Amino acid sequence: MKVLKFGGTSVGSAENMRKVALIVKREGAKITVLSAMSGTTDALVRIVKLAGKKGPLDPIEEELAMLSEKYTTCIENLLRSHKETALDRMNEALKTIRREVSDFRGSVSERIIIARGELLTSAIFTYYLQELGMKAELLHAPGFMHTDGESKVDTGLLKEKLSVLTAGDADTYYITQGFICSNASGEIDNLGRGGSDYSAALMGAAIGAGEVQIWTDIDGMHNNDPRFVENTYPIRRMSFDEAAELAYFGAKILHPATIQPCKDQDIPVLLKNTMDPDAPGTTISHEEDTQRDFHAVAAKDGITVIRIYSTRMLMAYGFLRKVFEIFEEHKTPIDMITTSEVAVSLTIDSDCHLDAIVRELNALGTIEIERNNTIVCIVGHMDHTQTGLAARIMESVAGVPIKMISYGASHRSIAMLVETHYKKEILQSINDKLFIRC
Ligand code: ADP
Ligand code: ASP
Ligand code: MG
């Protein structure tokens, strides 16, 4: 059994949806998880912002007109017998968004509006498979993907419900929405931007799939971010831990939470290119590549550094516990940490609770805050008994000021902190000096 997920570009036009249908058939996908057509969620987010501001309606109408044109073109080029039904469905969705905008009730309306992209795209694609004569059934993800008060997915319920819903004939193709779910209050919600990958991983784990395939617009995980760096190349095999680390530290191709459910059940994850289905892509499994020292690098922006200076740390114990408790109390995860005898520096990627955290940290020492930083994380197989590894890394970044370094926490990665305006430069330098030259 396979679960296949297709991202926004993969379902971004009638032409691409035809490619997706061929892949779904060829792979015999049990469950196909779809994002919204590319650009839809961004437009819906803009509509939500405009609705919240209660400004003039014209910009909202412009966004709706853009969506209407995009979906009408797709439907007219893709469908025949279901064309009118799909157009009606689209017009109904746009009308409902208009109503929700005029009766805007904050986050509830926001989440419902944002879900419309996935709902509409998955319906259009299901009609298309049916027109091709395939047995295709559309499943409503919020009916089986539930989150609790802490936004955690109820995997037990997912397994129970999905096994019943997908118990039909073996030749039925189940199509559903990624990204969206229902929350503890029973309202439509979502798993966060880019969350369709995570939806697919959870569904794969729930049905005990043999494989989860993430289909996108690039030939697998590259060694570096192709949006910023020239001469990147795809990596053919990668371990779960490496992929998880890269996704967490900014490799946009995968939502950061995707790997864990598949790792837990040892389900391989394939990253494939919809535009070039025969290209090998990347296979992520438990197998480690111990041949090469450095496999890939990723970067995560929006990092805030908190430095705590305190002579009370000197020769003392229990100081770090007090620091960590403050972050725990404010539900703020720490990404990087470096310590010396009289100072500790921590990084966080969400400063929602920064003021409250700093107020409490002030009791422990002198606090400094630095915003607009980027963590650059290199993953690989770094054997700490080998000489010269750290030297090679440092040489590759010699032209850029490094603010923090975290090395040795595992043999798998090294993380460095730089000011965000150095991101492109450091990624390119690492590519040229550490990867291409190897
Ligand atoms: P989808 O809409 O299919 O989910 P995304 O835009 O979320 O696609 O992810 C694919 C994009 O991720 C690629 O087009 C590429 O620009 C970007 N990306 C960033 N880092 C990497 C990387 N290390 N390897 C491959 N793609 C990457
Ligand atoms: N459509 C959603 C987004 O753009 C979810 C996804 O694509 O994974 O964030
Ligand atoms: Mg994505």
Side-chain angles (χ1 to χ4, degrees), residues 54 72-73 95 154 158 176 242 298 302 315 337 362 414:
K54 301 264 176 238
T72 303
T73 308
K95 221 162 76 189
D154 185 338
L158 173 64
T176 192
E242 282 179 329
M315 313 293 280
I337 171 162
N362 276 327
I414 175 169

Side-chain angles (χ1 to χ4, degrees), residues 290-295 379-383 386 389 392:
T290 54
Q291 300 301 307
R292 285 168 308 139
D293 302 326
F294 308 115
H295 298 171
V379 306
H381 182 75
M382 298 174 206
D383 176 356
Q386 200 184 317
L389 268 187
R392 277 163 64 201

Side-chain angles (χ1 to χ4, degrees), residues 33-327:
V33 182
L34 300 183
S35 296
M37 287 179 80
S38 52
T40 310
T41 313
D42 286 342
L44 295 172
V45 167
R46 288 194 295 270
I47 289 174
V48 160
K49 284 210 177 105
L50 291 163
K53 281 190 199 145
K54 301 264 176 238
L57 287 178
D58 292 359
I60 294 180
E61 282 306 322
E62 274 171 33
E63 297 286 359
L64 290 173
M66 184 275 284
L67 288 174
S68 171
E69 196 189 322
K70 181 194 227 24
Y71 280 84
T72 303
T73 308
C74 173
I75 292 168
E76 285 185 341
N77 286 326
L78 188 72
L79 300 179
R80 281 196 295 228
S81 54
H82 290 84
K83 189 186 292 184
E84 292 312 319
T85 322
L87 286 171
D88 287 349
R89 202 164 177 151
M90 176 199 75
N91 286 323
E92 195 53 44
L94 296 179
K95 221 162 76 189
T96 316
I97 294 174
R98 258 187 213 103
R99 206 177 50 236
E100 284 156 355
V101 163
S102 61
D103 175 32
F104 196 73
R105 286 176 294 121
S107 55
V108 178
S109 309
E110 184 177 320
R111 295 177 195 130
I112 296 172
I113 292 174
I114 287 172
R116 302 243 172 254
E118 266 71 11
L119 289 167
L120 193 53
T121 303
S122 56
I124 295 169
F125 184 72
T126 309
Y127 290 140
Y128 179 56
L129 292 193
Q130 289 166 350
E131 286 190 9
L132 292 177
M134 292 161 73
K135 259 197 216 167
E137 199 177 306
L138 182 62
L139 302 178
H140 186 63
F144 54 84
M145 188 71 83
H146 297 262
T147 53
D148 63 16
E150 302 250 285
S151 302
K152 274 213 197 82
V153 173
D154 185 338
T155 50
L157 194 70
L158 173 64
K159 191 172 177 173
E160 206 177 288
K161 292 205 168 187
L162 211 48
S163 65
V164 176
L165 287 167
T166 59
D169 299 340
D171 58 350
T172 303
Y173 295 87
Y174 295 96
I175 314 301
T176 192
Q177 309 80 36
F179 180 54
I180 64 173
C181 60
S182 55
N183 63 23
S185 314
E187 295 148 355
I188 295 238
D189 208 329
N190 61 68
L191 304 175
R193 293 304 305 268
S196 298
D197 305 330
Y198 186 35
S199 304
L202 288 164
M203 289 181 217
I207 64 162
E211 216 168 82
V212 169
Q213 301 182 356
I214 308 284
W215 289 80
T216 181
D217 55 4
I218 191 165
D219 177 21
M221 177 78 85
H222 279 220
N223 71 308
N224 204 326
D225 195 325
R227 293 168 300 171
F228 300 99
V229 171
E230 284 166 17
N231 300 322
T232 63
Y233 52 82
I235 302 185
R236 296 302 169 214
R237 306 197 74 81
M238 177 166 274
S239 70
F240 287 124
D241 291 339
E242 282 179 329
E245 203 134 353
L246 286 169
Y248 184 70
F249 284 112
K252 186 177 178 255
I253 188 169
L254 270 184
H255 182 276
T258 309
I259 294 299
Q260 196 60 46
C262 294
K263 183 188 171 192
D264 287 346
Q265 301 208 25
D266 202 8
I267 302 171
V269 178
L270 267 65
L271 307 182
K272 296 276 290 175
N273 188 356
T274 307
M275 314 310 149
D276 185 6
D278 294 325
T282 300
T283 302
I284 301 166
S285 70
H286 64 269
E287 278 171 45
E288 292 229 16
D289 175 356
T290 54
Q291 300 301 307
R292 285 168 308 139
D293 302 326
F294 308 115
H295 298 171
V297 58
K300 182 175 176 184
D301 297 334
I303 304 293
T304 300
V305 184
I306 304 169
R307 295 190 196 281
I308 309 154
Y309 294 93
S310 174
T311 44
R312 265 175 282 159
M313 259 182 97
L314 200 64
M315 313 293 280
Y317 48 83
F319 185 85
L320 285 178
R321 180 178 53 78
K322 288 184 197 142
V323 172
F324 289 148
E325 273 173 359
I326 294 172
F327 286 84

Side-chain angles (χ1 to χ4, degrees), residues 379-417:
V379 306
H381 182 75
M382 298 174 206
D383 176 356
H384 296 152
T385 61
Q386 200 184 317
T387 53
L389 268 187
R392 277 163 64 201
I393 296 166
M394 288 305 120
E395 199 187 316
S396 77
V397 299
V400 178
I402 308 291
K403 294 173 85 172
M404 280 170 73
I405 302 172
S406 172
Y407 180 65
S410 76
H411 65 259
R412 204 180 312 113
S413 66
I414 175 169
M416 292 171 281
L417 190 84

